[in-house]
Amino acid sequence: MIAPSHQDLVVKGSLNPGAIQFNNEILLLLRVAEGCPETKDEIAVPVYHFEHGKGALTVLHLKKDDPELCRKDTRAVIHQGQEYVSTISHLRLARSTDGVHFSVDEKPFLTPQNSSEEFGVEDARIVQIDDCYYINYTAVSRDSYGTSLLKTKNFVDLEYLGMIFSAPNKDVCIFPEKINGKYFALHRPYNHDFGKSSIWIAESPDLIHWGKHRCLIRPAHNQWESEKIGGGAPPIKTAHGWLEVYHGKTLIDGKDFYSLMVLLLDLDDPSKVIYRGEKPILVPEKDYETNGFVPNVVFLNGMVLRNEEDLYLYYSACDETSCLAECKLEDLIPI
Amino acid sequence: MIAPSHQDLVVKGSLNPGAIQFNNEILLLLRVAEGCPETKDEIAVPVYHFEHGKGALTVLHLKKDDPELCRKDTRAVIHQGQEYVSTISHLRLARSTDGVHFSVDEKPFLTPQNSSEEFGVEDARIVQIDDCYYINYTAVSRDSYGTSLLKTKNFVDLEYLGMIFSAPNKDVCIFPEKINGKYFALHRPYNHDFGKSSIWIAESPDLIHWGKHRCLIRPAHNQWESEKIGGGAPPIKTAHGWLEVYHGKTLIDGKDFYSLMVLLLDLDDPSKVIYRGEKPILVPEKDYETNGFVPNVVFLNGMVLRNEEDLYLYYSACDETSCLAECKLEDLIPI
């Protein structure tokens, strides 16, 4: 059981873990989604305030028969013209020595710190560059969702480096080293009106400022990704190229269906695609992957390579739970 | 009359000019929108190809009774699953010695150069920094719309610096000098789902890579901007602060209505708002502002300050024509 971050909240799920080897442990950075219990007459929503620097949480109780209350969808609640969300996520560390059995910290690792995070912090990716760890995550607010960056050496002291990809943008995967003098990242802008949401690539001199944005691959490459695609975990360097596991969304019988795909990018120029899988490496099959909060979703943003050959894929099922799949690195690379 | 860029195209409008003082001239960089004449049986769409480096234009003729033809809206055409647009814009220079009478170049200044611009280049903003001129413009493609950057010293030789704000993002206004060691820009991400499209601010060490994205001001400050807002021309430095003229969109009788508003930002920290106008400085009133391709639109992305006090506002009416309004700088600043 994961302890809620506040006495008035209940944990709805712990999902989409970032993952990294740190000292002798594997760390997962879980997205812990929390909401408030609902009574017969009342709903309650968590509200973060940032008037005095750091974020402070209060709970707003609303009568269901309040004429100024409007429940927009399963998550959004409007009261007196102000938008709230019924569920807000924070990031929480879990630790393991074997990569399989984890203990979850009692307290959050990161809760919303400023107004760009008022509706939560979600979906961490962790990458080690030299002796620092960089954590990018989705910052959600009334201004949509963007990607922000933290730097740490010890997973205790955190330096906030700002929003690196402005809204609407998520699924950011930073490469773990400079390539020809520049840092690179995959990112996923929302595609408004024209086509479908695709994976882009960008460059940076310092990890904080990004430019040279280009669309790298579009969806509809096969039947598993007819609707949209997005980056998964930070790419892993292999002898054959940068290995990226990404997600594809398609519709089956009119319902969302997410699976995991493989992409291989050129070591010297990651804007060049060497290989793109025709079939998924993981599709929702097991009961916990097909039945849950959002059925038929497998989603990955953390991978750890152990002993240079064993790949641990920490993925999420049904936007609700965190799971582990294991394979040999070479099994994903068809070259 | 503006000459079309290709024998099979007709000019539909010349709008949204960027503006700058260059040597003894005022230059406007017009967005020239072009399409193909339609016959009783046939429509035609312009198509840019980029197989051999630079863009090459061909015209695709389509029978109106072709069962594989689908006209999605007034602009988008789908044929055999591929999306086209009926109108594509390029950028064209116009030159004037008095700022009032302009001669338009015969040839385009910039046509689409890569696949991120396949559906056109639009809405240039020009800013002088030291002895260079930077031109940012909207790059439109099936991957949505982003903002790209050119550098020039003479408006002849152009250096492409890549896409600086990834899709969906437009209305980028670069400040004309470094502030506390960093370049700044206003930008306008599309707000997906959560709130309304707002004006953001970002920082850069080099004008090419951008970070520290923050929402600066949101719409709904008054009845003129209930739907969305976006940056206008690059900010002008005044004794009282950075002067920005931006646009606000509202709905009047259910129809779009765009007007121009004033914003004043702190000279040392442009993320601080000093003043924001309650009333527009320009609303659609004249016949050419209320009747045209898109009625009731005034839109600005170019301003020139002359003699340190006369402000020339080059704005567009009805997404169709380019107009000039003049005022004293001090009349816009209520301090």
Side-chain angles (χ1 to χ4, degrees):
Chain A
M1 287 296 289
I2 296 176
S5 67
H6 185 280
Q7 62 189 11
D8 293 339
L9 298 180
V10 291
V11 172
K12 304 272 188 176
S14 63
L15 60 150
N16 297 0
I20 196 86
Q21 175 100 32
F22 175 66
N23 295 335
N24 296 318
E25 290 184 316
I26 286 182
L27 300 182
L28 296 185
L29 199 42
L30 300 163
R31 167 181 166 191
V32 176
E34 297 176 310
C36 303
E38 187 172 329
T39 67
K40 190 165 70 69
D41 302 321
E42 216 176 60
I43 66 164
V45 290
V47 184
Y48 273 93
H49 305 269
F50 305 96
E51 286 83 0
H52 308 291
K54 288 206 162 193
L57 181 73
T58 58
V59 171
L60 178 67
H61 295 266
L62 299 165
K63 296 283 179 200
K64 284 183 184 173
D65 60 4
D66 184 336
E68 297 218 59
L69 174 68
C70 166
R71 300 176 82 162
K72 191 172 151 191
D73 53 40
T74 53
R75 194 174 179 197
V77 173
I78 296 171
H79 183 250
Q80 295 181 340
Q82 175 70 49
E83 190 157 339
Y84 303 95
V85 288
S86 60
T87 307
I88 289 183
S89 295
H90 67 268
L91 301 179
R92 187 91 64 105
L93 274 175
R95 305 158 194 272
S96 172
T97 50
D98 62 8
V100 180
H101 303 85
F102 283 86
S103 65
V104 180
D105 280 7
E106 282 291 306
K107 300 284 181 192
F109 175 78
L110 184 74
T111 53
Q113 297 297 303
N114 61 58
S115 61
S116 76
E117 304 174 352
E118 63 179 335
F119 293 163
V121 291
E122 304 179 353
D123 301 358
R125 274 94 173 166
I126 315 172
V127 66
Q128 181 180 0
I129 300 178
D130 303 324
D131 65 340
C132 287
Y133 298 86
Y134 293 87
I135 302 162
N136 63 265
Y137 61 94
T138 309
V140 189
S141 75
R142 73 189 73 182
D143 302 312
S144 186
Y145 50 88
T147 292
S148 294
L149 187 65
L150 287 177
K151 178 180 178 179
T152 185
K153 287 195 174 190
N154 54 15
F155 289 89
V156 176
D157 306 300
L158 308 178
E159 183 184 355
Y160 178 67
L161 300 177
M163 185 177 285
I164 55 174
F165 291 93
S166 61
N169 200 310
K170 54 165 62 175
D171 298 331
V172 171
C173 301
I174 297 174
F175 289 70
E177 61 186 66
K178 278 190 176 179
I179 301 164
N180 291 317
K182 284 287 184 74
Y183 294 107
F184 282 81
L186 306 177
H187 63 102
R188 218 294 301 279
Y190 172 73
N191 190 342
H192 169 50
D193 271 358
F194 291 81
K196 291 174 175 179
S197 292
S198 304
I199 297 176
W200 290 49
I201 192 163
E203 301 177 16
S204 173
D206 55 12
L207 297 164
I208 299 171
H209 307 89
W210 294 85
K212 307 267 187 195
H213 301 277
R214 286 160 287 170
C215 184
L216 179 68
I217 56 169
R218 299 187 182 110
H221 182 64
N222 57 50
Q223 81 267 32
W224 305 98
E225 44 180 79
S226 65
E227 295 306 302
K228 64 178 180 178
I229 54 177
I236 287 179
K237 194 175 194 176
T238 78
H240 303 287
W242 292 104
L243 173 70
E244 172 65 13
V245 175
Y246 68 98
H247 64 267
K249 173 181 159 183
T250 191
L251 296 173
I252 294 183
D253 296 334
K255 289 181 182 162
D256 292 357
F257 188 95
Y258 281 77
S259 50
L260 299 181
M261 313 289 300
V262 160
L263 184 69
L264 211 55
L265 302 173
D266 188 272
L267 285 180
D268 290 325
D269 178 2
S271 72
K272 285 189 189 157
V273 175
I274 293 175
Y275 168 79
R276 187 172 173 186
E278 288 290 337
K279 292 180 182 172
I281 60 166
L282 192 72
V283 295
E285 285 175 329
K286 309 271 189 195
D287 179 62
Y288 55 85
E289 296 164 342
T290 56
N291 290 302
F293 179 60
V294 183
N296 293 311
V297 175
V298 292
F299 188 97
L300 173 139
N301 40 301
M303 295 193 296
V304 175
L305 182 63
R306 308 187 81 183
N307 312 316
E308 296 184 9
E309 58 173 15
D310 297 315
L311 194 62
Y312 280 40
L313 297 100
Y314 295 97
Y315 71 98
S316 190
C318 297
D319 277 7
E320 188 172 3
T321 56
S322 295
C323 312
L324 169 61
E326 194 192 347
C327 68
K328 293 290 178 196
L329 178 63
E330 62 187 30
D331 292 342
L332 295 190
I333 297 177
I335 294 172
Chain B
M1 286 294 293
I2 296 175
S5 68
H6 184 280
Q7 61 189 12
D8 293 340
L9 298 179
V10 291
V11 173
K12 303 272 190 177
S14 63
L15 60 151
N16 296 0
I20 195 87
Q21 175 101 34
F22 175 64
N23 294 337
N24 296 319
E25 291 183 315
I26 286 182
L27 299 181
L28 296 185
L29 198 42
L30 300 164
R31 166 182 167 190
V32 176
E34 297 175 310
C36 303
E38 187 172 330
T39 67
K40 190 166 71 73
D41 302 322
E42 216 177 61
I43 65 163
V45 289
V47 185
Y48 273 93
H49 306 270
F50 305 96
E51 287 82 0
H52 308 290
K54 286 204 164 193
L57 181 73
T58 58
V59 171
L60 179 66
H61 294 267
L62 299 165
K63 296 283 180 203
K64 284 185 183 173
D65 60 2
D66 184 338
E68 297 218 61
L69 174 68
C70 166
R71 300 177 81 162
K72 193 171 151 192
D73 52 40
T74 53
R75 193 174 177 197
V77 173
I78 295 170
H79 183 248
Q80 294 182 341
Q82 176 69 49
E83 189 157 339
Y84 302 95
V85 287
S86 60
T87 308
I88 288 183
S89 294
H90 67 267
L91 302 179
R92 187 89 63 103
L93 273 176
R95 304 158 193 274
S96 172
T97 49
D98 62 6
V100 179
H101 303 86
F102 283 86
S103 65
V104 180
D105 280 5
E106 283 290 305
K107 301 283 181 193
F109 176 78
L110 183 75
T111 54
Q113 297 297 303
N114 61 58
S115 61
S116 77
E117 304 173 352
E118 62 179 336
F119 293 164
V121 290
E122 304 178 353
D123 302 356
R125 272 94 173 167
I126 314 172
V127 65
Q128 180 180 1
I129 300 178
D130 303 324
D131 64 340
C132 287
Y133 298 86
Y134 293 87
I135 302 163
N136 63 265
Y137 60 95
T138 309
V140 188
S141 75
R142 75 189 73 182
D143 302 312
S144 187
Y145 50 88
T147 293
S148 295
L149 187 65
L150 287 177
K151 178 181 178 180
T152 187
K153 287 195 173 189
N154 55 14
F155 288 90
V156 176
D157 306 300
L158 308 178
E159 183 184 355
Y160 178 68
L161 300 177
M163 186 177 284
I164 55 173
F165 291 93
S166 61
N169 199 310
K170 53 166 59 176
D171 298 331
V172 170
C173 301
I174 297 173
F175 289 70
E177 61 185 67
K178 278 190 174 177
I179 302 164
N180 290 318
K182 284 289 182 73
Y183 295 107
F184 283 81
L186 307 177
H187 63 102
R188 217 293 302 279
Y190 173 74
N191 190 342
H192 171 49
D193 271 357
F194 291 81
K196 292 175 175 178
S197 292
S198 303
I199 296 177
W200 289 49
I201 192 164
E203 300 177 17
S204 173
D206 56 11
L207 297 164
I208 298 171
H209 306 90
W210 293 86
K212 308 266 187 195
H213 301 277
R214 285 160 287 169
C215 184
L216 179 68
I217 55 169
R218 300 187 181 109
H221 181 64
N222 56 50
Q223 80 265 32
W224 305 98
E225 44 180 80
S226 64
E227 295 305 303
K228 64 178 180 179
I229 54 176
I236 287 178
K237 194 175 193 176
T238 77
H240 303 288
W242 293 103
L243 173 71
E244 172 66 12
V245 175
Y246 69 98
H247 64 267
K249 174 182 159 183
T250 191
L251 296 173
I252 294 184
D253 296 334
K255 290 180 182 161
D256 292 357
F257 188 95
Y258 281 78
S259 50
L260 300 180
M261 312 288 301
V262 160
L263 185 68
L264 211 55
L265 302 173
D266 187 273
L267 285 179
D268 291 324
D269 178 1
S271 71
K272 284 190 190 157
V273 175
I274 294 176
Y275 168 79
R276 187 172 174 186
E278 289 290 336
K279 291 181 182 171
I281 59 165
L282 191 72
V283 296
E285 284 175 329
K286 309 271 188 195
D287 179 62
Y288 55 85
E289 296 165 343
T290 56
N291 289 302
F293 179 62
V294 183
N296 293 311
V297 175
V298 292
F299 188 96
L300 173 138
N301 41 299
M303 296 192 296
V304 175
L305 183 62
R306 308 186 81 183
N307 311 316
E308 296 184 9
E309 59 173 13
D310 297 314
L311 193 63
Y312 280 38
L313 298 99
Y314 295 97
Y315 72 99
S316 191
C318 297
D319 276 7
E320 189 171 1
T321 55
S322 295
C323 313
L324 169 61
E326 194 192 346
C327 69
K328 294 290 177 195
L329 177 64
E330 64 186 28
D331 292 343
L332 296 189
I333 298 177
I335 294 171

